[in-house]
Amino acid sequence: MMHTRGVLSLAVLAASEHPIRNDIVERINSRNGGWTAALPEENPLSALSEDEIRGMMGLLNATVTRSSNSLGSKLHDIPTSFDGRSTFSSCQKSVRDQANCGSCWAFGAAETLTTNLCVLGVSSSVLSPQDLISCDSGNHGCNGGTLPGAWDFIDSNGLVSDSCMPYASAEGEEPACSPVCTGDGGEMTTSKCPVPSSFLTSDEAIQAAVMTVGAVEVGFTVYEDFMNYKSGVYKYTEGMALGGHAVKIVGWGQDYAAGFYWIVQNSWGSSFGENGFFKIVNWKVDHDSAIAIGGGFACVSGPQPSPPSPAPAPETCEDIVSYCSDYDHTGCAAATYVVPVCKKTCGCCDDFLAPSYCSETAVVV
């Protein structure tokens, strides 16, 4: 049995009504829950059909074992707030719009790598999501992709510049992979991470990477209410799950009411949310949207914030979602995406006796 709450799901749940509508907006704004919904007539996404909205959710499930060049799970020297948009202001590019294509996985990866390489001084070019959409045969173009798959392609091939291969899938078309530049007619030059990309296995590691290279690509589950987001710190309140979405974390902060939140760049154009960005509470508070619960990816090279001394106490091993009771060890082995949120049920609390699937890093993306 596959659940959508707490994990990102391939399943697209049919909504009986359009997710952008007055009754949702009125309920959100009447709750004073820390974020504001846009009126439908002001929402740039309201003109899209239900199918078009669901089609934008292009992040698919994946499990992967990824240990090389992985940052530690606990780091210190991390401030209570950080905004890579100001710290690395010279590396900030325009917010883009994936439009009518489930290419969020490609945009998140290309834009994260663009920022990473700029901060590292490797490249100042805006890199091409179309390169991934058209040339990454391990993913599915406008029909979705995975973060591990995207970053494996980047490690192997790099990405060309956006001027070399401009975005051509706004209407859902997927041009064939071209051996020459389709845009500026220039030389087909790729940019890639100088080291293997990093799989970031904890919130602290994601923070350390953002402080070091400006951005990390992560995933979360989009619900109906999120489609109405205008401003504030988002937390799931109501509505069906529409699918998985890949985005780019660029910072974090603290809110008096909401507590810790991530600052996130979206790929739905600059008219969405806070000039194309949004704030969202962490997965430990919002198990439904579950942003970054499965970690994230970035090109990280150079010194990191140093590990603490003495080492912190280990985190409590527990189940953090209610549906864990639906699983046993056989179910956990067959659906390893539940392991990060059902560690106790899955038997992953005792390192010595833990089943073999516990040693495999389950990445929910």
Side-chain angles (χ1 to χ4, degrees):
M1 181 177 182
M2 181 178 289
H3 295 264
T4 56
R5 292 194 173 190
V7 296
L8 299 181
S9 173
L10 278 169
V12 175
L13 301 182
S16 58
E17 298 180 87
H18 197 284
I20 299 171
R21 58 186 192 268
N22 280 311
D23 63 307
I24 284 185
V25 170
E26 290 172 359
R27 285 193 297 272
I28 292 169
N29 290 339
S30 67
R31 291 188 184 107
N32 296 317
W35 64 283
T36 301
L39 296 175
E41 59 267 27
E42 298 173 346
N43 192 325
L45 304 176
S46 61
L48 300 178
S49 69
E50 295 173 55
D51 287 342
E52 287 173 330
I53 286 174
R54 295 190 193 102
M56 294 162 61
M57 312 306 159
L59 187 59
L60 309 181
N61 277 338
T63 56
V64 63
T65 299
R66 183 121 174 181
S67 59
S68 63
N69 202 37
S70 180
L71 300 185
S73 62
K74 289 291 182 181
L75 300 158
H76 77 169
D77 297 341
I78 296 175
T80 56
S81 62
F82 182 87
D83 193 336
R85 295 173 297 180
S86 56
T87 302
F88 307 114
S89 58
S90 62
C91 292
Q92 297 312 298
K93 313 297 182 181
S94 299
V95 174
R96 305 186 65 184
D97 189 353
Q98 68 188 74
N100 192 25
C101 173
S103 53
C104 56
W105 61 277
F107 272 84
E111 294 183 4
T112 294
L113 185 64
T114 294
T115 299
N116 297 162
L117 297 186
C118 178
V119 173
L120 292 171
V122 174
S123 169
S124 60
S125 297
V126 174
L127 300 178
S128 172
Q130 191 66 51
D131 195 353
L132 283 159
I133 296 164
S134 294
C135 301
D136 181 1
S137 60
N139 279 306
H140 307 285
C142 285
N143 293 312
T146 68
L147 303 195
W151 286 90
D152 283 344
F153 178 89
I154 286 170
D155 284 343
S156 298
N157 304 280
L159 295 179
V160 300
S161 69
D162 195 67
S163 60
C164 171
M165 194 179 294
Y167 190 48
S169 295
E171 299 304 321
E173 298 179 354
E174 299 175 13
C177 185
S178 173
V180 297
C181 289
T182 57
D184 59 13
E187 184 178 354
M188 195 83 167
T189 302
T190 60
S191 298
K192 63 193 305 184
C193 189
V195 297
S197 60
S198 292
F199 167 47
L200 308 157
T201 59
S202 71
D203 297 338
E204 294 88 351
I206 291 172
Q207 289 175 291
V210 171
M211 288 172 63
T212 306
V213 291
V216 172
E217 184 181 23
V218 302
F220 74 113
T221 302
V222 170
Y223 285 82
E224 290 180 284
D225 61 349
F226 181 77
M227 302 306 301
N228 299 276
Y229 175 87
K230 179 180 181 180
S231 63
V233 181
Y234 171 81
K235 180 182 178 183
Y236 169 70
T237 59
E238 65 171 275
M240 291 184 175
L242 300 175
H245 188 47
V247 288
K248 170 184 168 183
I249 286 179
V250 298
W252 61 89
Q254 294 283 340
D255 179 81
Y256 176 77
F260 177 89
Y261 61 82
W262 295 110
I263 302 170
V264 185
Q265 181 174 329
N266 205 351
S267 54
W268 295 348
S270 60
S271 58
F272 173 83
E274 299 181 345
N275 299 313
F277 294 81
F278 63 94
K279 303 184 186 79
I280 183 171
V281 298
N282 198 23
W283 64 267
K284 294 177 182 178
V285 176
D286 183 357
H287 296 161
D288 296 287
S289 299
I291 189 165
I293 193 172
F297 287 83
C299 170
V300 184
S301 179
Q304 306 299 309
S306 57
S309 179
E315 294 182 357
T316 302
C317 185
E318 60 183 357
D319 296 338
I320 63 172
V321 291
S322 60
Y323 59 73
C324 292
S325 60
D326 294 342
Y327 290 87
D328 55 17
H329 283 210
T330 300
C332 293
T336 53
Y337 53 81
V338 305
V339 172
V341 293
C342 300
K343 288 184 178 180
K344 185 176 180 180
T345 292
C346 293
C348 298
C349 294
D350 189 325
D351 290 339
F352 182 73
L353 298 175
S356 59
Y357 57 73
C358 297
S359 63
E360 299 176 357
T361 304
V363 183
V364 185
V365 292

